[in-house]
Amino acid sequence: METYPLILDGAQAGTVTVRREGGWTVFDVQCAAAEGVKRVSVYGGGAEGYLGVLAPEDGALTLHRRFSRSAMRAFPAQIEYAGYAGQPCAAPEPPEESAPPEEPAPPEKPAPPEEPVPEPPETPEPPPAPNKEEAPPALEDVYWYASPDGALVCFDGEHNLIALPVGDARVPEGPGGWQRTIEGRDYIVYRTKDGKLLR
């Protein structure tokens, strides 16, 4: 089992412990009680691994998540610390070597004037490639966290997901989402970004 500091607002606010359970990697986050939504990630080697949202428990904020081996491929190989999700974490790129100055080309003789050539008609742009968002997410290896409003939330290693119960007033009209049965109950699953449903 390994322990890393949880840094929030420039100070250590808690800890993150990481342990293995068979083929799963389990994260336990402990943080002092605070107001507001706290989304946290682990960082290391210029990479970020999103954990989820801290929830109140026994006077503190906690988070318990487990990830499969495939989901852990998106996480840092060596974790250094945890903090707010979405922080800049890319490693600085080495400066590019400047190319040697090119010798100036000899001046060209002015070409005789030519008659204007009519431009060919514009060809229609090819249709865009199918959006990978149209493929339903693989939900076999994710761990769902129940929010107080009855929805389930999780992170599948690439996207934030939310599952709304079938018939919930928040399910938008029209196509979009994927119907899934989770723990014996039917839900409509959507990908989310910045708190909005992606359809």
Side-chain angles (χ1 to χ4, degrees):
M1 185 169 65
E2 301 166 333
T3 302
Y4 304 96
L6 173 63
I7 308 297
L8 300 179
D9 301 319
Q12 181 170 348
T15 58
V16 178
T17 57
V18 185
R19 67 181 188 277
R20 272 69 180 179
E21 289 184 357
W24 298 89
T25 300
V26 181
F27 290 81
D28 290 304
V29 183
Q30 297 288 333
C31 176
E35 295 183 357
V37 178
K38 309 290 184 185
R39 292 182 173 85
V40 295
S41 295
V42 290
Y43 295 89
E48 175 184 2
Y50 179 74
L51 295 180
V53 180
L54 297 176
E57 181 179 336
D58 296 331
L61 296 178
T62 64
L63 175 64
H64 309 283
R65 293 292 307 276
R66 64 176 188 165
F67 297 90
S68 65
R69 287 191 181 99
S70 60
M72 287 300 297
R73 294 192 190 113
F75 276 63
Q78 180 61 48
I79 297 173
E80 298 171 7
Y81 68 97
Y84 286 121
Q87 296 182 18
C89 60
E93 297 181 357
E96 296 182 359
E97 296 182 2
S98 57
E102 297 181 358
E103 295 182 3
E108 297 181 358
K109 294 181 181 180
E114 298 181 358
E115 295 182 2
V117 179
E119 296 183 0
E122 294 184 2
T123 56
E125 296 183 1
N131 190 336
K132 68 179 181 180
E133 297 291 347
E134 295 175 2
L139 305 178
E140 291 77 11
D141 295 335
V142 299
Y143 178 78
W144 291 96
Y145 169 75
S147 59
D149 59 4
L152 303 179
V153 294
C154 77
F155 182 71
D156 67 358
E158 295 182 9
H159 304 91
N160 293 318
L161 303 176
I162 184 169
L164 300 174
V166 172
D168 192 289
R170 292 167 292 176
V171 175
E173 296 182 1
W178 301 274
Q179 186 163 346
R180 291 289 186 273
T181 300
I182 304 171
E183 297 182 358
R185 187 175 180 185
D186 291 333
Y187 291 87
I188 306 296
V189 179
Y190 296 90
R191 292 191 176 101
T192 64
K193 183 176 183 181
D194 299 329
K196 298 181 180 178
L197 300 182
L198 297 179
R199 302 179 60 189

